[in-house]
Amino acid sequence: MPLTVLNYYKIEIQQILIMMFYGLKNIRKDLQLIDDRKLQLKIIFHIALNLIKVRIIMFSRFKKDRDEIMERIDTNLFRTIQEKYRKIAPNENYTKYLNISGYLKRNLKRAYRLNLHKSKPLNIIDFGAGAGYFCFICNYFGHNVMAMDVGKSPVFDELIQLLGINRKIGAIEAFKRLPKFDTDFDLATAFYVPFNKASNPDEVWRVEEWKFLLEDLANNLLKENGRIFFFLHHENDGKHYDRILLQFFLDYNDRLLGQELYFEHTEKFRAVRVGYF
Ligand SMILES: C[S@@+](CC[C@H](N)C(=O)[O-])C[C@H]1O[C@@H](n2cnc3c(N)ncnc32)[C@H](O)[C@@H]1O
C-alpha cells in the first residue's frame, strides 16, 4: 500500500486508538482508586489530548528532527559499540538501548510532550539518564542539560560518552538530599528510573519519601517556576500508587496521568524547607 497522506493519517489514527486502548488499560487500576468521576474523565481527556498532540507534532517534524539528530552522532563509533555488545542479550546490562532508532523516537516523543522543541533554552536535569538519548535531544533543541545516574552500566557509560553528555554520578535515595549543582534548573525529569523501589522491590516509596524528594527538588535544585516530570515504573501490583499516595499527588497536582507524574508548578513544595542552610 503506497504511503499517501490519506494512508498516513489512517495509520496514525489506528495507532492513536491502539495506544489509547492500551494506555487506558494500563491506568485502569489507577483510575479505580479515584472516586471522583469528574476527575477520572478529566484524566482520560488529558491522556487522549496528549497522545493526539504528540502524534500531530510527530507528523509535522519527526523525520526532520530524527535525521538532523542522526547527523550529529558519530555512527562509526556507535556501530563499534553495537558490535562490542552484540552477543549480550537485549535485557542484560541495558544492551537493548543500542537500538538507536527506537530509542531516539521514544525520546523525541518525550521532548515533544514537554514542548522542548519550541521552548526558550532551559536548564534541564535528567535523573537516571541511562544512555543519554533524552539529554542529547534536549541539547539538539538548544537546552543545557545535565545527567545524573548511578553509572553502573558499561553500555550506558560508553553511549553517554559518545553523545557527549555531562553526567554526575549519584543516586536518588530515600531521605537523602540530592547533590548540589552549579546551576538551578527549569525542569527535572526521570524516565523509568526505579529509585522509588531501590532498596527492596517489594517496598515502594510512600508519601514521606516522595515528599522529601519533591521538597528537596523544589527548594534546592529548581528555579522558582521549575517543573518536574517523572515517568514512573509500575509497582508490583500493576498500579503506580496506592490510594494514600495518589491523594498526596492529587493535592499538589490535578494533571496526574497514570505513569506520568507531572508537576507544572512546584511552588507548593517550597512550603517546607529542607534546604542547605
Ligand atoms: C531503565 S533505565 C532508563 C534510562 C533512561 N531514563 C531512559 O528512559 O532511556 C534506568 C536508569 O536509571 C538508573 N538508576 C537506577 N536507580 C537509580 C537511582 N536511584 N538514582 C539515579 N539513577 C538510577 C540506572 O542506572 C539506569 O541508567
Side-chain angles (χ1 to χ4, degrees):
M1 186 167 61
L3 192 66
T4 59
V5 171
L6 200 67
N7 279 335
Y8 181 90
Y9 276 117
K10 247 166 88 182
I11 295 167
E12 285 297 287
I13 288 165
Q14 271 171 10
Q15 282 202 359
I16 288 171
L17 292 176
I18 292 168
M19 280 164 63
M20 275 175 68
F21 175 73
Y22 283 110
L24 284 177
K25 213 170 145 216
N26 273 345
I27 68 150
R28 197 169 49 91
K29 287 188 177 165
D30 297 329
L31 288 173
Q32 281 167 356
L33 298 174
I34 299 172
D35 301 322
D36 182 346
R37 184 95 187 115
K38 253 185 163 164
L39 185 57
Q40 274 192 359
L41 290 174
K42 196 171 158 188
I43 289 174
I44 293 170
F45 173 75
H46 279 304
I47 290 177
L49 202 68
N50 278 310
L51 275 174
I52 292 168
K53 185 187 104 175
V54 171
R55 282 275 144 190
I56 290 172
I57 306 170
M58 291 280 286
F59 178 61
S60 63
R61 56 180 300 159
F62 170 69
K63 196 176 168 316
K64 174 183 163 289
D65 285 336
R66 185 202 50 198
D67 292 349
E68 282 182 18
I69 288 168
M70 281 306 289
E71 273 170 29
R72 294 178 186 208
I73 294 175
D74 182 340
T75 38
N76 285 335
L77 195 49
F78 194 88
R79 267 188 230 112
T80 316
I81 300 174
Q82 271 178 327
E83 191 52 32
K84 183 171 164 188
Y85 293 99
R86 194 171 51 88
K87 291 204 176 105
I88 301 178
N91 277 330
E92 228 176 279
N93 291 323
Y94 299 120
T95 50
K96 65 180 176 184
Y97 284 81
L98 289 163
N99 164 12
I100 190 164
S101 59
Y103 281 96
L104 276 187
K105 187 171 178 183
R106 175 185 283 198
N107 284 284
L108 262 167
K109 278 187 193 166
R110 292 169 174 171
Y112 297 148
R113 163 78 183 91
L114 291 164
N115 287 330
L116 299 179
H117 59 295
K118 59 175 185 186
S119 95
K120 65 175 174 45
L122 301 174
N123 287 344
I124 300 172
I125 171 103
D126 186 35
F127 296 107
Y133 293 128
F134 178 71
C135 299
F136 193 74
I137 287 168
C138 291
N139 281 336
Y140 163 74
F141 285 127
H143 306 293
N144 303 310
V145 64
M146 180 83 203
M148 190 178 108
D149 201 294
V150 293
K152 288 184 181 156
S153 153
V155 182
F156 284 167
D157 288 351
E158 293 204 42
L159 289 178
I160 209 151
Q161 205 181 347
L162 169 83
L163 297 177
I165 306 302
N166 223 347
R167 181 181 70 172
K168 197 182 193 83
I169 296 292
I172 300 181
E173 290 177 81
F175 302 121
K176 229 175 154 183
R177 280 186 206 159
L178 293 162
K180 204 66 186 127
F181 292 85
D182 294 336
T183 179
D184 286 344
F185 297 100
D186 300 281
L187 173 67
T189 54
F191 302 96
Y192 282 118
V193 185
F195 58 81
N196 59 328
K197 39 185 165 181
S199 49
N200 172 356
D202 292 329
E203 275 177 34
V204 291
W205 279 15
R206 299 292 156 211
V207 168
E208 291 72 22
E209 287 94 337
W210 275 106
K211 198 162 182 284
F212 187 96
L213 173 66
L214 295 167
E215 286 174 359
D216 186 23
L217 274 170
N219 286 311
N220 300 316
L221 270 83
L222 291 177
K223 292 184 187 170
E224 219 156 272
N225 53 354
R227 297 180 278 162
I228 298 172
F229 185 97
F230 289 158
F231 201 85
L232 302 173
H233 258 281
H234 279 295
E235 307 303 3
N236 290 343
D237 57 4
K239 297 183 199 123
H240 298 101
Y241 8 71
D242 63 15
R243 203 176 273 271
I244 301 170
L245 193 56
L246 176 74
Q247 194 49 56
F248 166 73
F249 288 143
L250 286 172
D251 285 346
Y252 286 94
N253 156 41
D254 64 355
R255 295 287 303 274
L256 201 66
L257 302 179
Q259 233 162 334
E260 290 189 7
L261 190 55
Y262 190 14
F263 298 100
E264 284 185 274
H265 307 282
T266 45
E267 64 274 12
K268 278 190 190 169
F269 294 122
R270 290 173 180 263
V272 182
R273 289 204 67 87
V274 290
Y276 298 82
F277 298 110

